[in-house]
Structures are given as structure tokens and as C-alpha cells.
Amino acid sequence: MLSKTSQAEEGCSECPHLSGVHSGKGGLEEEPPEDKEANECLWIRPDAPSRCSWQLGSLIADSPHHHAPSTKAPKILPDILQNIGDTPMVKINKIRKKFGLKCELLAKCEFFNPGGSVKDRIAVRMIEDAERAGILKPGDTIIEPTSGNTGIGLALAAAVKGYRCIIVMPEKMSMEKVDVLRALGAKIVRTPTNARFDSPESHVGVAWRLKNDIPNSHILDQYRNASNPLAHYDTTAEEILQQCDGKVDMLVISAGTGGTITGIGRKLKEKCPGCRIVGVDPVGSILAEPEELNQTEQTAYEVEGIGYDFVPTVLDRKVVDKWFKSNDEESFTFARMLISQEGLLCGGSSGSAMAGAVKAAQELQEGQRCVVILPDSVRNYMSKFLSDKWMLQKGFLKEEDVPTKKPWWWHLRVQELSLQAPLTVLPTVTCEHTMEILHEKGFDQAPVVDESGVILGMVTLGNMLSSLLAGKIRPSDEVRKIIYKQFQQLAELKAKGQSWRPQLTPKSVFCYLHQRPSHTSRDTFLQGIAKPLGPAGLRCCQDPGLSTQGLPCPVTEMLGQTCQGPCCACSALGTEGPVRMEETDVLQRGTQASLFQILPAGELGTTI
């Protein structure tokens, strides 16, 4: 689809900033009468070169745009949209002290907006400017490609004003955003996270395809719409100047579309000529300058709402004095720090901005002031960086750093545990007799040992039953015919939570057998773990033969899936890392006391 646009690009890439394209009534681009072909364009590039006429020192009277003055809100608001803006400015105390900053550090808390983010400002501004220009009419449909926050702002405004709303966003965006959008009445379309912006499958490409198919629909286009930076030029920047009494020495903003840093940056350059504008861009994005900062093999990142693989039209990088790159780990660490130490319930991109601020503000002296924009709320990320489990899975948190009460056996070595001797069988015992023993003793598995006590392998009730049903063995066969031989015995290894590095063979299994006393369940410490095995798929952590008895595979049951038999592919695990069954999960299942794991080929260590 999008590959056809090169022929019409000149007619489709007009910048909405361009003087003469606007009637002066709004910020949304109006199509010149002579450019009828633009109406037929499949899409308009979100990275078209800007032809904005703004220059430092230019008079606001010469602006082609409508400028909305700041107004004081009435005591009783006519609707929730009137509560957008006028967000608080808060001193950052503990983080400032922790990183030895001499300057005053302030945070502009944009998550106090009704929709939970700074994007509420541009959503209402784009809609009202489109209404003023006669482009958006009652009953029309608003479509927007977005990382979620602009979508929430537009859906909020659409709910109040009565428009239909369709939001197109990448799959990596949180389910919390999806749930909020659905609650607001918006329709959601998800697109592949890794699709390039100019791909037909990208959120931009899909949005334009929907726009071409749906009558009376409009893409307000935050990437190109002049109302985006204008909202911040007219209101956000003015609020900052008022709150700081006109004294701002540094402004730090994490960049997404670039409308916030462009709009605020331009106004501060006009009113505070010495103010340094600092942009923060995630590793894997290409917004920063010089271009050398963007050189990396990484293209994906977990932090949401900032960074792109193209430079949006509305981003004026000439306004930015210096760029810093941020990574996911420091972004989420600082976001958690803002929550736990400053009580500011902000999102991951706020952590990115604060991480950049503590670096940039090192050059400021006592008596100077640094303002950081905190774009959105933690509400959107409850299942992501706010979750210890998610942080552990992504490698942003170490297990020893999780402030949870550890089980009594956490730091004990295996041989220090008071465990009864396990039930064992000789290799010459028949399968029929072995099943009788296991049934009598209440076990579903046992180690097979020779006369000298050497462990030969494992035998499980489930595997014997499935092999009997398949005709692979007879009841009179010796149990040696059906033992699992790939295992690694634990000797003096530490219990769960402690690292170890035995030499493992590909897809090997290690096990430690112990018996659960009938009078207590505290000695059960099964820890089931499954990890990716590359192209071969995934293997269950538990003997999949259990499924033949109607007993659940612990991992698949925990995920609400169905065990598929031997070497089942627990596809729901994806490649997100280990799936752990906590002690409580195990006790609910009453699983017999065994500990074993299937590891990826070539892995030399893990955590148990």
C-alpha cells in the first residue's frame, strides 16, 4: 500500500505549519483546492520536512495560527475537558540529594491531567482547531495512530463531544491502555511492534488505510499537526513560566512526537534566552542529534510513548541544545524511584526524563533551576514496570533486590534440609510391580537405583501408563526399559534463589528427589521452570506423561493452557524468560515433592 505513495509524495507531504496552508482558524492542515490529488493519497508521511515559518524573535501577531490564551478555570467545570492543563510543579528532594545536584530540581506533573498524560493537551487542541476550521463535524470518526496516550486523550474528548474514535497502536503497548480506551468507547486496532513506520502493517499505515475506507473519518495526525506544539507553546510553557516566576535555567523532556519539546522549547527560548533545552531519547530511537548518538544495533525498547524510527514533522530539533540517550533499565529504575522516594505515580518515560535530568543538571550551580516534564501516569503500566515479576522476567531487576519475605529454606543448601529418604526401585523390578508400589505409597515418580545405590534415572507413573497404552512396554517388562536417563544429580547445591553453574548437556534435566511427609506441606518446594529451547520450541518443566492420567502439567495449567503430551510446546510462554511456580502455586496443586528443570541447549547456569 504505502509503496505507491512515492509518486504523490510532493502533494501529500505538506507541513501543517506552512503559512498560507492555514486559514488562521486552526492548526490542522487544509487542502488547497488545486491539490485534489492529495484527497486520493493513500497516506501522508509523518516525517515530511517541516516548512514552519517560526523563528526566534518573530512576533506572535505574525503567526498564521490561532493562539489560545490561558484562562482561569471556573469553580464548577462544564465538562472534564476544562480540567486539562494547569498541572502542578513539584520539588524533587530525595533524588536531587542522592545524585548530588546543586541546582533546584522541579517536576511538572502532567499525569494530573484527566486522561493521565500530557497528551490530553494536544488531543483537545487538535479537535477544537479542527472544529474551528470546519474540518471535523458532528458524527464524524476520529482515527489516530498512537502509542496510547494521545489515543486516550482523543477518546476522552470524543466521548465528551460525541465523536466516534478508532485508535491504532503497536502491540507492545500495555493492556491497561487498551482497557482504558475500550472503557472510553474507542475501537482499538493493534499492529506489529517491529513494523517500520512506512510499512503497510505499521500503526501509521493501518490508520491511513482505515481513513481511506471509512467515510467522514479524519486522522488528526499528531506527527504533523501544528496544534501539537501549539498546545504547549500557548499553555504548558506559560504555566511553567508562571510557576517559576519566569526563571528557568534548564528544561528536560523525553521526546516522542516532539510536540512537547518543540512547543515549550520555543516559548522558553523567547522568554528565557539562557535556558538550555535538553531532550531524552531511548536507545533504539533515531530522534537524537548528532546522529552518532543513535548508532546501535538495538531497535526495540520496552519504554512506551517516546522515541521513533522516523523524525516527526512537528519535532524542531534546532530548539534542543543537547540530547541524552536513555535505556530501559535506568528508565524504569528512575520511574520506580520517583514513585517510592518522591511519591509521584508516574510512568516509564518519566523515568527516562529524570535519568537524563540528573546527568544534564550536573552542570548547573546553586541558585539555578531545572524543570523536568513527567509525561504520564503509572496507571498505564501496572502489569509492566510496576510488577516485580515483569521486571525480573525482562532482566531489569535482580531476584535478591525484590523486597519480599523469602521462604524458610531459601538460603539453605539441599543437604541441610531435613528430608526423608526417597522411595527408590531397582531396575529389575517389573513395571506392574513399580506401579503398584507408587500407587500404594502415593507417589507418581521414583528414582531407579542399582544395588550399589547409583541413580540410573527416573521412572514416572504417567509415562509408564502412557507407554502401556501405546503398546511400547508390557506390565512384565523391567522398569529399566522406561527410565529417564538424562538428569544431573544435585549434591551440595543451594536451594531456590541461589546461583549455580554445573556443566549441562543440551536439553538436560536435573532432579532432586525427596518425600513429602503426610503431616505437613511446608517441605514441598517444587519450583517448576520452563525456558525457551530455540527453534525446537519449549518443553514442559514437569513430566508431560501426567496428562495421560488427567493430571495437569503445572506450567500449562498455570497459564490456562492444555498440556500437549511429551515435549509439549507451551507456546503461551513465548520468549519472555523463565516461568516460575511459587511455593503457594505448588501447594494448591498438592504436587509430589520433586524438583527438576529442562534448560536451553548450551546454558551453563540458572537460578533455582
Side-chain angles (χ1 to χ4, degrees):
M1 178 191 73
L2 303 185
S3 60
K4 298 179 183 179
T5 63
S6 58
Q7 298 174 357
E9 249 174 44
E10 287 187 11
C12 295
S13 300
E14 293 298 320
C15 172
H17 297 205
L18 181 60
S19 178
V21 174
H22 299 271
S23 65
K25 297 180 180 179
L28 187 68
E29 178 180 2
E30 295 181 3
E31 294 157 350
E34 68 274 11
D35 192 11
K36 295 300 182 183
E37 289 187 4
N39 291 321
E40 306 300 325
C41 283
L42 295 178
W43 79 313
I44 301 177
R45 294 186 65 90
D47 63 341
S50 174
R51 290 193 254 170
C52 180
S53 58
W54 180 89
Q55 291 182 349
L56 186 60
S58 58
L59 298 176
I60 196 169
D62 297 331
S63 172
H65 306 294
H66 168 78
H67 288 273
S70 297
T71 57
K72 188 173 182 180
K75 292 181 179 179
I76 299 177
L77 301 175
D79 57 54
I80 194 61
L81 302 183
Q82 304 308 310
N83 197 45
I84 293 173
D86 198 21
T87 54
M89 185 78 75
V90 179
K91 275 191 177 183
I92 301 297
N93 301 301
K94 294 181 180 177
I95 293 177
R96 169 186 170 273
K97 185 177 180 181
K98 180 175 182 177
F99 289 90
L101 298 182
K102 297 176 183 178
C103 66
E104 184 179 38
L105 188 60
L106 304 177
K108 178 74 167 162
C109 300
E110 288 298 299
F111 52 87
F112 275 83
N113 282 303
S117 85
V118 67
K119 296 294 189 176
D120 289 359
R121 295 178 183 264
I122 74 166
V124 172
R125 179 63 181 266
M126 289 193 299
I127 287 177
E128 291 182 347
D129 282 351
E131 290 173 335
R132 188 178 296 107
I135 297 169
L136 197 57
K137 300 177 179 64
D140 284 357
T141 299
I142 297 171
I143 302 173
E144 189 70 18
T146 168
S147 59
N149 281 326
T150 302
I152 290 172
L154 287 170
L156 183 76
V160 173
K161 289 175 172 287
Y163 297 109
R164 292 181 62 216
C165 187
I166 301 174
I167 300 302
V168 187
M169 63 182 186
E171 290 171 342
K172 90 166 185 179
M173 305 311 166
S174 71
M175 282 306 299
E176 287 87 345
K177 290 179 179 177
V178 174
D179 292 338
V180 171
L181 285 165
R182 285 196 178 121
L184 288 168
K187 304 297 182 184
I188 301 117
V189 178
R190 307 301 293 271
T191 60
T193 297
N194 295 326
R196 275 183 52 87
F197 79 95
D198 54 358
S199 162
E201 292 79 28
S202 73
H203 66 311
V204 176
V206 171
W208 278 97
R209 189 162 67 227
L210 290 171
K211 193 260 185 191
N212 292 329
D213 292 340
I214 300 173
N216 302 316
S217 63
H218 310 275
I219 293 179
L220 297 181
D221 201 347
Q222 61 178 323
Y223 304 113
R224 302 175 58 253
N225 198 320
S227 301
N228 180 348
L230 282 171
H232 301 294
Y233 181 90
D234 288 342
T235 61
T236 319
E238 290 292 345
E239 290 172 21
I240 292 172
L241 290 167
Q242 291 171 12
Q243 290 165 328
C244 295
D245 294 323
K247 177 178 170 53
V248 183
D249 299 289
M250 179 177 285
L251 174 75
V252 182
I253 302 179
S254 50
T257 64
T260 309
I261 198 167
T262 298
I264 301 176
R266 285 178 173 180
K267 179 58 69 75
L268 292 188
K269 289 289 187 183
E270 291 174 354
K271 298 295 182 72
C272 300
C275 180
R276 288 179 59 76
I277 308 299
V278 176
V280 181
D281 186 39
V283 175
S285 168
I286 66 164
L287 302 185
E289 288 184 318
E291 294 300 329
E292 293 75 36
L293 288 176
N294 302 321
Q295 291 180 358
T296 177
E297 294 182 1
Q298 178 179 331
T299 57
Y301 42 90
E302 293 291 342
V303 68
E304 298 182 24
I306 58 173
Y308 281 102
D309 59 344
F310 64 93
V311 180
T313 300
V314 297
L315 173 57
D316 182 2
R317 295 195 287 182
K318 297 188 298 296
V319 172
V320 183
D321 296 299
K322 188 171 184 179
W323 289 90
F324 285 88
K325 301 294 284 190
S326 65
N327 59 57
D328 285 333
E329 184 172 357
E330 67 178 354
S331 296
F332 297 133
T333 298
F334 271 92
R336 282 176 153 233
M337 207 181 299
L338 284 163
I339 295 170
S340 64
Q341 298 182 22
E342 305 290 346
L344 300 175
L345 299 176
C346 56
S349 59
S350 298
S352 303
M354 188 56 66
V358 298
K359 298 172 188 173
Q362 295 290 339
E363 66 185 52
L364 297 183
Q365 301 302 313
E366 195 168 339
Q368 292 187 295
R369 178 177 286 158
C370 175
V371 174
V372 186
I373 304 295
L374 305 185
D376 72 347
S377 165
V378 74
R379 177 203 64 198
N380 291 337
Y381 313 104
M382 305 291 279
S383 62
K384 289 201 166 187
F385 79 86
L386 205 62
S387 164
D388 286 345
K389 287 185 178 180
W390 187 87
M391 291 286 284
L392 284 167
Q393 286 179 353
K394 297 295 182 179
F396 303 139
L397 195 63
K398 295 181 180 178
E399 197 143 4
E400 56 266 25
D401 296 332
V402 179
T404 56
K405 185 179 179 181
K406 302 296 189 294
W408 60 271
W409 40 260
W410 187 269
H411 296 293
L412 294 178
R413 291 178 179 273
V414 172
Q415 80 269 20
E416 294 175 29
L417 296 172
S418 178
L419 304 173
Q420 298 182 17
L423 171 72
T424 61
V425 295
L426 293 170
T428 54
V429 177
T430 65
C431 292
E432 182 178 20
H433 191 195
T434 301
M435 286 189 288
E436 290 174 355
I437 294 172
L438 292 176
H439 181 74
E440 179 185 347
K441 299 296 183 181
F443 293 129
D444 60 15
Q445 56 196 277
V448 179
V449 300
D450 62 15
E451 288 79 357
S452 62
V454 176
I455 299 177
L456 302 178
M458 288 281 300
V459 64
T460 71
L461 185 59
N463 194 41
M464 282 190 288
L465 287 172
S466 61
S467 297
L468 282 168
L469 291 172
K472 294 179 181 178
I473 60 169
R474 295 174 298 177
S476 58
D477 287 340
E478 293 182 350
V479 79
R480 72 168 79 238
K481 292 187 64 176
I482 197 170
I483 60 176
Y484 289 111
K485 296 182 179 180
Q486 283 186 294
F487 70 95
Q488 188 156 346
Q489 187 172 354
L490 304 187
E492 298 183 356
L493 302 180
K494 294 182 179 180
K496 178 180 179 290
Q498 304 300 310
S499 297
W500 61 289
R501 288 188 172 272
Q503 294 299 315
L504 298 172
T505 57
K507 302 181 184 178
S508 62
V509 179
F510 70 86
C511 61
Y512 181 82
L513 271 293
H514 66 96
Q515 187 171 335
R516 183 181 70 181
S518 59
H519 64 278
T520 179
S521 61
R522 288 296 295 170
D523 287 320
T524 300
F525 71 105
L526 172 64
Q527 177 73 10
I529 304 175
K531 288 191 174 181
L533 292 174
L538 299 165
R539 292 178 183 268
C540 262
C541 69
Q542 184 68 293
D543 173 20
L546 290 175
S547 61
T548 61
Q549 305 177 68
L551 298 176
C553 161
V555 168
T556 47
E557 183 191 22
M558 180 168 61
L559 294 170
Q561 304 294 320
T562 301
C563 183
Q564 301 298 319
C567 301
C568 71
C570 300
S571 58
L573 298 181
T575 56
E576 298 299 321
V579 170
R580 303 178 181 278
M581 285 201 308
E582 302 297 338
E583 185 182 17
T584 52
D585 293 320
V586 176
L587 296 183
Q588 289 170 3
R589 289 164 175 72
T591 310
Q592 292 298 324
S594 64
L595 171 65
F596 58 110
Q597 177 182 29
I598 297 180
L599 297 167
E603 182 163 328
L604 299 180
T606 188
T607 302
I608 66 170

